Amino acid sequence: MNVLVVGSGGREHALAWKSRYSEVVDQVFVAPGNAGTASDEGLKNISINAEDIESLLEFAKNESIDLTIVGPEGPLVAGIVDRFSEEGLKCFGPTARAAQLEGSKTFAKDFLADNQIPTAAYRSFVDVHDALSYLDGIEFPVVVKADGLAAGKGVVIAETRHEAKKAVEDMLSSNRFGDAGSTVVIEEFLEGEEVSYICIVDGENILPMATSQDHKAAYEGDMGPNTGGMGAYSPAAVVDERMHQVIMEQVMIPTVQGLRKMGIHYVGFLYAGLMIGKDGCPRVLEFNCRFGDPETQPIMMRLKSDLVLHCLAAIDGRLNREKAVWDDRPALGVVLASEGYPGSYKKGLVISGLDTQLSNSSSDESSGITGKLFHAGTDVQSGNIITAGGRVICSTALGGSLLEAQKAAYALAESVSWDGCWYRRDIGFKALGR
Ligand code: AMP
Ligand code: GLY
């Protein structure tokens, strides 16, 4: 069977890499992919942009693609699954309507409130004066969010009224996020420990993936601006068996059922970003209609069962018969970034040291690999691998303990270099400090 993975990040490299080990897969195509998916055996890049739905559709028809797995939210929100389904093709992900759960924060917040799913108190505004006068009457910190997709950068945690007002003005008056910022959500600041709870959903049944935690802040100690994610590990120690039950009962099941009541049959990855409060209550920070990046990288290293069979079962509505099997060993991934990220950065710098992999054939029967450099913003030019984005590589490793996984991931990262390469040295610190 032929699989097409749509996207070009570290998440897509990990999804394509895992799909290649499926017992039913012959060939995995990645559109457009990166230098990592270009060089891995069994993967082939196709130069079609992830947003170019009509060209992807034509490719899928011509190459008899049996399953398309969509990585990023953009094409999902733009309706890639709707178009593929109209043409009778299997495309794993939610429809455009269902993807509103990520595509519009107002939609998500209203949905959470309507279904009594715990989340931060909030108000939405389209008028800048209304938003500013609301800020005059509340306590700080608060969180100001652009309504639409802003690549993780449309969220400002404002410690003071001044910062909150500036964020509102940037979004509503200066149009900093274009249409994505034409509505803002102002919400209560939640304290606690953040967890990524990602599931596969078939419209009714829910197959939880291993839990994970992500470091979103740019700098060590979880300081500095928000990024797409600077590193992640799995499992999240804070989600024990009881917490897993609570999350399923209070968040995931009511979400899938609430969508059904609206006539939305949600198929795809469903990612709840949760804040676990000191009171032991999980509250939803956001939904994503896709897998997390970089959470995918450590989670795929731990997945022993067949990702492609899980996705096909979800599309066919028989997820209740699937069981995900996990490597007991923790995995940890460190993101190697370009100088200047998450602000502006140079591209086109030659990367060295990418041929390192940790191999241990006795410990992992599916791949024999215990560490891997997943590519994100990379490209090939004149035979060299060059930087092509802000997050460039995710060095990911399994270990007998989280500490061992951390050591292995950093050892692997050390072999890689380019001008201005940097990474956080403390990925996993919260879990290791527990
Ligand atoms: P979002 O895109 O809504 O997930 O926000 C990005 C990040 O901002 C989250 O991963 C949290 O780290 C932080 N964040 C968002 N909303 C809140 C909140 N209400 N309280 C505290 N932190 C938040
Ligand atoms: N790592 C966070 C996200 O994928 O949204």
Side-chain angles (χ1 to χ4, degrees):
M1 133 173 333
N2 292 331
V3 170
L4 170 64
V5 174
V6 175
S8 60
R11 165 184 49 215
E12 288 75 25
H13 189 185
L15 291 172
W17 171 79
K18 188 68 210 173
S19 298
R20 188 189 60 159
Y21 291 108
S22 166
E23 62 180 56
V24 294
V25 170
D26 301 306
Q27 174 76 52
V28 179
F29 297 97
V30 189
N34 54 37
T37 54
S39 45
D40 269 11
E41 207 186 310
L43 308 185
K44 188 168 191 294
N45 282 357
I46 301 302
S47 107
I48 303 175
N49 195 291
E51 310 275 336
D52 185 355
I53 295 176
E54 291 309 315
S55 302
L56 291 168
L57 187 58
E58 199 178 306
F59 174 81
K61 281 193 205 160
N62 292 340
E63 294 294 327
S64 312
I65 298 294
D66 302 282
L67 172 68
T68 298
I69 301 176
V70 185
E73 62 280 13
L76 292 166
V77 173
I80 189 170
V81 173
D82 308 63
R83 279 297 286 132
F84 272 58
S85 308
E86 275 165 25
E87 302 285 335
L89 292 176
K90 290 190 177 182
C91 186
F92 182 70
T95 59
R97 191 164 167 239
Q100 284 305 295
L101 222 42
E102 173 167 3
S104 163
K105 298 220 186 273
T106 308
F107 176 94
K109 294 298 288 189
D110 292 347
F111 173 83
L112 289 163
D114 290 347
N115 291 281
Q116 288 104 44
I117 299 168
T119 187
Y122 73 105
R123 291 269 307 269
S124 318
F125 297 92
V126 286
D127 182 87
V128 66
H129 301 291
D130 292 349
L132 293 177
S133 55
Y134 173 72
L135 290 174
D136 280 330
I138 60 169
E139 310 243 316
F140 292 83
V142 291
V143 186
V144 181
K145 300 183 175 183
D147 180 72
L149 296 179
K153 289 162 200 144
V155 173
V156 176
I157 296 177
E159 301 287 343
T160 63
R161 183 164 292 121
H162 175 75
E163 278 177 69
K165 288 193 167 178
K166 183 169 178 320
V168 162
E169 278 167 351
D170 272 356
M171 289 176 198
L172 287 179
S173 307
S174 315
N175 211 20
R176 220 180 115 206
F177 295 97
D179 281 350
S182 60
T183 302
V184 299
V185 171
I186 301 177
E187 69 178 37
E188 170 197 10
F189 175 78
L190 297 176
E191 278 180 278
E193 194 160 345
E194 204 172 329
V195 167
S196 305
Y197 199 87
I198 303 167
C199 299
I200 295 181
V201 177
D202 73 355
E204 181 165 6
N205 303 293
I206 302 168
L207 181 69
M209 299 286 96
T211 56
S212 58
Q213 280 179 295
D214 171 24
H215 290 275
K216 289 204 169 124
Y219 310 132
E220 274 145 37
D222 286 339
M223 307 295 278
N226 241 333
T227 68
M230 296 303 295
Y233 48 93
S234 170
V238 62
V239 186
D240 56 14
E241 197 44 43
R242 193 197 71 85
M243 183 55 69
H244 165 78
Q245 293 293 340
V246 172
I247 294 170
M248 286 300 282
E249 281 162 21
Q250 295 185 7
V251 178
M252 300 314 297
I253 296 171
T255 298
V256 174
Q257 294 305 330
L259 289 166
R260 280 167 70 85
K261 273 191 265 156
M262 296 172 73
I264 296 176
H265 182 77
Y266 190 106
V267 178
F269 297 119
L270 178 59
Y271 167 149
L274 303 171
M275 190 69 88
I276 315 275
K278 287 211 177 72
D279 57 1
C281 179
R283 293 181 181 80
V284 176
L285 292 173
E286 63 165 346
F287 283 119
N288 295 316
C289 60
R290 50 168 176 82
F291 226 107
D293 190 342
E295 292 93 324
T296 312
Q297 291 85 316
I299 292 177
M300 286 302 124
M301 285 222 86
R302 293 189 60 218
L303 182 64
K304 291 179 122 180
S305 47
D306 193 319
L307 175 70
V308 169
L309 292 183
H310 293 328
C311 294
L312 288 169
I315 291 176
D316 295 343
R318 46 180 175 76
L319 205 51
N320 51 334
R321 282 183 254 150
E322 291 292 296
K323 189 171 169 352
V325 182
W326 301 100
D327 196 313
D328 288 334
R329 290 171 297 175
L332 183 141
V334 179
V335 171
L336 282 62
S338 296
E339 184 175 3
Y341 177 81
S344 57
Y345 49 83
K346 278 194 213 144
K347 291 183 187 176
L349 302 166
V350 175
I351 310 172
S352 62
L354 282 170
D355 40 17
T356 318
Q357 295 207 116
L358 304 177
S359 234
N360 183 347
S361 49
S362 62
S363 59
D364 182 338
E365 60 273 22
S366 70
S367 64
I369 288 171
T370 57
K372 185 156 175 75
L373 294 165
F374 289 109
H375 288 226
T378 65
D379 205 350
V380 186
Q381 197 181 64
S382 320
N384 288 319
I385 297 184
I386 56 165
T387 63
R391 294 190 295 168
V392 178
I393 298 286
C394 182
S395 174
T396 311
L398 287 163
S401 63
L402 187 63
L403 184 62
E404 277 180 27
Q406 186 196 48
K407 280 191 187 146
Y410 278 109
L412 190 56
E414 257 165 44
S415 61
V416 181
S417 66
W418 70 88
D419 191 17
C421 163
W422 67 279
Y423 45 92
R424 280 182 57 166
R425 306 277 164 168
D426 65 347
I427 300 303
F429 81 90
K430 264 196 238 147
L432 289 168
R434 282 177 80 83

